[in-house]
Amino acid sequence: MTDLFLLASLFLTVLIAGGLIRVAVGSSEADRLLGLQLIGTSLVALCLTLAVALDRPRLTDLALVIAASASVTITVFYTVRKSLENQGPVE
């Protein structure tokens, strides 16, 4: 069973690498943010699978911190985006 979790961890690492590529070459801010969300979600899943595979319960706490910070990131992005839209074009 541990091998299955380690294989899943390897797959999640590949997803994180794909997310980093998307952040680097994203065409818009929204694309880059979605790449960061993919990385955050994959990191949470990676921490949880490694916590089970390696019997390290502290990794579940790390997954919780990553999930909380990812939700704050989306909220800040939306707030900043709305405030910039309300200002209008700069002359």
Side-chain angles (χ1 to χ4, degrees):
M1 192 66 164
T2 302
D3 293 336
L4 180 65
F5 284 115
L6 291 176
L7 185 64
S9 298
L10 180 65
F11 176 71
L12 289 168
T13 304
V14 171
L15 283 179
I16 292 169
L20 286 172
I21 291 170
R22 189 64 186 161
V23 169
V25 295
S27 59
S28 68
E29 292 176 0
D31 285 341
R32 291 185 174 142
L33 182 70
L34 286 174
L36 286 174
Q37 285 299 112
L38 172 69
I39 291 169
T41 304
S42 299
L43 278 175
V44 168
L46 180 64
C47 287
L48 291 174
T49 55
L50 286 176
V52 173
L54 303 176
D55 195 27
R56 306 274 183 184
R58 289 185 181 174
L59 288 174
T60 57
D61 296 336
L62 180 62
L64 182 63
V65 169
I66 293 170
S69 64
S71 64
V72 169
T73 303
I74 261 306
T75 305
V76 168
F77 176 77
Y78 179 75
T79 305
V80 168
R81 186 81 173 196
K82 272 297 191 196
S83 68
L84 289 176
E85 286 177 1
N86 290 339
Q87 289 179 358
V90 177
E91 296 179 13

